[in-house]
Amino acid sequence: MAQRPSPSYLASMSQDARTVAFRIDRPAPDRAEAAARREAAVARIRAETGIDEALIDALVEGFYARVREDALIGPVFAERIEDWGPHLEQMKLFWSSVALSTGVYQGRPMPKHLPLPIDARHFDRWLQIFEAAARDLCLPVAADHFIVRARRIAESLELGVANANGVLVGPGERYRRPETPWTPDA
């Protein structure tokens, strides 16, 4: 078994070299052990919240049915999604990973949201619809579990969209897209 470098040796190394030294000294993760820990975590969340794939399916279907009818965010989705089936399947995998920590979603949501013409108003509306769907379709403990995560996701995506548009949003600030002023010619 490899020995850890002494503190004096580590102090003489650059930060990058120290990072590499610690990575090399760590034993390789046991995949079976990691899978068992994940399964235990998923089982614990299921037991505590009552969330399962059937509930995720109902929430995703119910939420996006409401989204398609919404005057503010419905058109943003409609412009980009022709076949809702694959999108909904991806969202079910996403929420399984987010709500249950299953790890079944392997996508990257941030790059998909960066070019969208959205801002704080859209994220607020998305959250209003999501929270209403969660409260209508889930028991309170499950709804709370979903909503906490949805709020984090909305905040993260809003910050990413702002940054992609050259805006650094400070604590407590929200991102608003510049609006074209009205002119009589428009």
Side-chain angles (χ1 to χ4, degrees):
M1 186 164 154
Q3 292 183 338
R4 295 212 181 267
S6 70
S8 61
Y9 174 71
L10 288 174
S12 70
M13 299 170 68
S14 70
Q15 178 62 42
D16 289 341
R18 283 194 304 268
T19 301
V20 170
F22 278 108
R23 285 187 186 147
I24 291 170
D25 288 343
R26 288 189 192 142
D30 179 347
R31 292 188 192 279
E33 182 182 322
R37 281 195 315 271
R38 180 182 294 269
E39 287 177 27
V42 170
R44 180 185 51 76
I45 295 167
R46 287 179 195 276
E48 290 173 0
T49 64
I51 296 171
D52 60 12
E53 280 69 19
L55 183 58
I56 291 169
D57 185 86
L59 178 58
V60 167
E61 294 283 343
F63 168 67
Y64 281 103
R66 296 173 189 203
V67 163
R68 286 183 286 226
E69 300 296 321
D70 188 72
L72 179 62
I73 65 173
V76 175
F77 284 89
E79 286 180 25
R80 286 150 188 89
I81 301 172
E82 291 181 26
D83 184 357
W84 278 88
H87 179 72
L88 294 176
E89 290 309 311
Q90 283 298 301
M91 293 300 93
K92 292 169 188 176
L93 294 174
F94 175 80
W95 280 104
S96 176
S97 289
V98 168
L100 294 173
S101 299
T102 60
V104 295
Y105 178 76
Q106 299 299 314
R108 295 178 47 220
M110 186 65 75
K112 294 176 183 176
H113 289 81
L114 297 182
L116 298 178
I118 55 178
D119 64 14
R121 294 167 296 176
H122 298 87
F123 289 108
D124 288 347
R125 186 65 184 139
W126 181 87
L127 278 171
Q128 286 173 341
I129 296 169
F130 187 87
E131 290 180 13
R135 297 261 180 242
D136 290 347
L137 300 169
C138 305
L139 292 173
V141 67
D144 290 344
H145 188 81
F146 281 118
I147 290 167
V148 164
R149 283 145 186 83
R151 288 177 181 164
R152 288 183 196 147
I153 291 162
E155 180 179 19
S156 175
L157 290 174
E158 183 180 333
L159 291 172
V161 169
N163 193 343
N165 285 281
V167 177
L168 182 60
V169 179
E173 295 178 343
R174 303 293 306 280
Y175 172 63
R176 292 284 304 239
R177 295 178 62 80
E179 295 182 31
T180 306
W182 181 84
T183 62
D185 301 332

